[in-house]
Amino acid sequence: MINYQKHTLPNGLTVVVNRDRSSKLAAVNLLYKIGARNENPSRTGFAHLFEHLMFRGTKAVPDFDTPVQMACGENNAFTNNDYTDFYITLPKDNIETALWLESDRMTGLDISQENLETEKRVVIEEYKQRYLNQPYGDMSMLLRALAYRVHPYRWATIGLSPDHIAGASLDEVRDFYRRFYHPSNAILSISADIPEERTIALCEKWFDPIADNPQPAASLPQEPPQTESRREEVERNVPATMIVLAYHIGSRTSPDFFLGDMTSDLLAGGESGRLYQHLVREQRLLGSVNAYVSGEVDPGLFVFTAQLLPSTTVEQAEAALLREIEILQTEKIDEYELEKIKNKFEANTLFGELNVMNKAMNLGFYEMLGDLPLINREVTIYRSQTAEQIADFSRRTFRPENRSTLIYRAKQ
């Protein structure tokens, strides 16, 4: 159970604070509601570019990292399709250093041509190294393009092409900053051993003076239901052939997300999972296998991945995966098997609540979802799921017409 207080500043900044009496550290998390899904299809990769630019400094603080280090802190950030997250951990007595730095770069970022060109080169090189020159690097890109037709999830956080970043003008980048980096588009969440009222007062001190720049929310195209099986095959210079099956599921707050998450643990919760036991250990068809839900805000994907052994054909592996799905849909799920998964989820949740950074991040994430109390309801949701509900989810979801299949063949 995470106790918290929520407060909204006059400029629209949402503040969520938690008092953690067990830690001497403060975790300051600033989430901006800007991810790859908010980008222009002709200018993708901007959210990720800004994750880099935000560390280039401001006119007041040219080097962001040095004050953090002087305050004995650590900081980092990440971007995904739904949001961008910046976080700092430091001794609680130095919390104002984090608030000062985050409030300064919320509106004072130094977006010069020199800084922009430097980060462009970094991002383009990252694109090449991680996605173009890495084994299996473009697999997720191919899968997104296959599974989605209109929703912005059809491109990865890094973007559709490095040309989009290479061609970005200074005016375009500055406009992106003005549109998305402002108080009412952000959530500041903090966990520290400081009274909640005191933490909120400090947030008011540092963020109240910032004027908001509200922008009309752009509507995103909704992905229509998939009505036909899709398939794509590519050949790459990789060690082993991979099969990827993707099925559309509900949004992050929908009942089907939780059922899908439970199903993925049932199938691929480590070496005790069904897929590993049956397809790796017993039948010796695969070198590795996994199943997971994408967990994105809008309707996402349930994904199977399977790495084939040299002696296994694509047809054999694909048939074996579909057979495991059929078993899940038609045969009774053992209650003991289900209980183990529920216990694991509850233990992981409780363990995660011991860490101040986990708590600060999660408070920001669930507020971004629009259901902050969900942070304390999820264990109950998972506990309430039944074997029949999981079987029903499997029958509704794992249908041929809802499937996108990517065959990622190793070159002979």
Side-chain angles (χ1 to χ4, degrees):
M1 179 77 173
I2 299 177
N3 295 312
Y4 57 82
Q5 286 190 22
K6 176 181 170 180
H7 179 70
T8 303
L9 302 189
N11 58 16
L13 178 67
T14 301
V15 177
V16 186
V17 299
N18 157 259
R19 183 168 189 180
D20 184 332
R21 299 176 186 270
S22 65
S23 178
K24 297 184 182 299
L25 293 175
V28 176
N29 191 80
L30 189 57
L31 181 154
Y32 288 94
K33 291 179 274 188
I34 165 59
R37 70 177 187 155
N38 304 107
E39 297 166 342
N40 185 321
S42 64
R43 277 289 182 264
T44 60
F46 272 44
H48 178 69
L49 174 66
F50 262 89
E51 178 195 328
H52 288 259
L53 280 171
M54 289 287 276
F55 289 95
R56 292 300 299 179
T58 66
K59 293 179 175 60
V61 186
D63 180 6
F64 185 89
D65 290 334
T66 298
V68 176
Q69 293 166 1
M70 290 178 66
C72 302
E74 296 180 347
N75 70 99
N76 214 326
F78 63 87
T79 312
N80 58 36
N81 284 76
D82 295 310
Y83 62 96
T84 305
D85 199 89
F86 300 89
Y87 53 94
I88 303 174
T89 54
L90 71 181
K92 67 174 185 177
D93 292 341
N94 296 338
I95 190 173
E96 287 198 73
T97 297
L99 298 176
W100 159 56
L101 290 169
E102 291 294 7
S103 62
D104 179 51
R105 70 175 173 178
M106 179 176 277
T107 57
L109 197 62
D110 183 14
I111 310 177
S112 64
Q113 191 68 52
E114 179 183 359
N115 285 345
L116 175 58
E117 293 303 323
T118 298
E119 293 309 324
K120 275 183 170 184
R121 290 191 293 270
V122 171
V123 170
I124 291 170
E125 186 60 30
E126 180 183 347
Y127 193 110
K128 293 176 180 177
Q129 288 185 357
R130 290 181 58 187
Y131 296 90
L132 301 184
N133 301 327
Q134 183 83 6
Y136 308 104
D138 66 341
M139 191 163 66
S140 64
M141 293 180 168
L142 293 170
L143 181 65
R144 285 183 178 276
L146 183 64
Y148 292 101
R149 290 292 185 257
V150 300
H151 194 282
Y153 287 164
R154 68 184 185 272
W155 62 81
T157 305
I158 198 72
L160 282 169
S161 166
D163 294 342
H164 290 186
I165 295 300
S169 71
L170 189 61
D171 286 343
E172 286 177 315
V173 172
R174 286 174 172 170
D175 178 67
F176 191 89
Y177 181 56
R178 286 190 295 269
R179 282 194 293 131
F180 295 110
Y181 287 81
H182 55 87
S184 63
N185 201 47
I187 300 164
L188 177 62
S189 51
I190 297 172
S191 182
D193 186 14
I194 303 172
E196 290 92 340
E197 294 78 7
R198 171 62 178 159
T199 305
I200 291 172
L202 290 173
C203 295
E204 291 174 334
K205 171 184 174 181
W206 288 103
F207 287 88
D208 255 353
I210 300 175
D212 194 30
N213 179 35
Q215 302 287 323
S219 59
L220 299 181
Q222 297 304 300
E223 188 69 21
Q226 185 172 328
T227 58
E228 78 294 324
S229 180
R230 299 171 187 165
R231 190 178 187 89
E232 182 176 357
E233 296 196 18
V234 297
E235 192 175 76
R236 296 288 189 268
N237 186 22
V238 293
T241 295
M242 294 277 288
I243 295 178
V244 186
L245 308 179
Y247 298 85
H248 291 276
I249 62 170
S251 67
R252 178 57 179 79
T253 56
S254 71
D256 274 5
F257 167 80
F258 300 104
L259 289 167
D261 198 22
M262 284 281 285
T263 304
S264 70
D265 265 9
L266 182 71
L267 292 170
E271 294 188 0
S272 62
R274 290 184 177 190
L275 296 179
Y276 183 89
Q277 286 292 321
H278 297 166
L279 306 184
V280 176
R281 179 168 292 176
E282 296 171 9
Q283 300 177 40
R284 299 187 182 278
L285 293 171
L286 306 176
S288 65
V289 65
N290 196 16
Y292 62 91
V293 290
S294 59
E296 290 157 324
V297 172
D298 289 340
L301 299 174
F302 189 109
V303 181
F304 294 83
T305 63
Q307 188 178 71
L308 280 59
L309 292 175
S311 58
T312 305
T313 67
V314 167
E315 292 74 22
Q316 287 174 319
E318 193 171 358
L321 285 170
L322 296 178
R323 174 58 183 155
E324 290 299 320
I325 290 173
E326 183 184 359
I327 291 171
L328 190 64
Q329 293 170 330
T330 59
E331 298 185 10
K332 183 175 175 57
I333 299 169
D334 184 75
E335 289 296 334
Y336 175 72
E337 188 179 22
L338 200 57
E339 188 64 22
K340 283 198 306 180
I341 298 167
K342 293 178 179 181
N343 291 341
K344 177 184 174 182
F345 178 83
E346 184 169 3
N348 288 342
T349 300
L350 294 174
F351 182 76
E353 290 179 1
L354 298 177
N355 183 284
V356 287
M357 193 72 259
N358 284 347
K359 284 194 282 191
M361 279 188 176
N362 285 336
L363 287 167
F365 173 73
Y366 286 92
E367 173 61 23
M368 184 268 302
L369 286 180
D371 189 0
L372 181 54
L374 180 62
I375 196 171
N376 291 320
R377 295 201 318 269
E378 283 200 330
V379 169
T380 301
I381 292 173
Y382 282 94
R383 279 284 176 202
S384 68
Q385 291 178 349
T386 66
E388 180 49 44
Q389 285 177 312
I390 291 176
D392 176 67
F393 164 82
S394 301
R395 289 188 290 268
R396 289 186 289 103
T397 303
F398 304 137
R399 297 173 289 108
E401 63 271 24
N402 190 39
R403 181 169 66 235
S404 295
T405 304
L406 175 64
I407 308 299
Y408 202 92
R409 291 186 184 271
K411 284 185 177 179
Q412 299 299 315

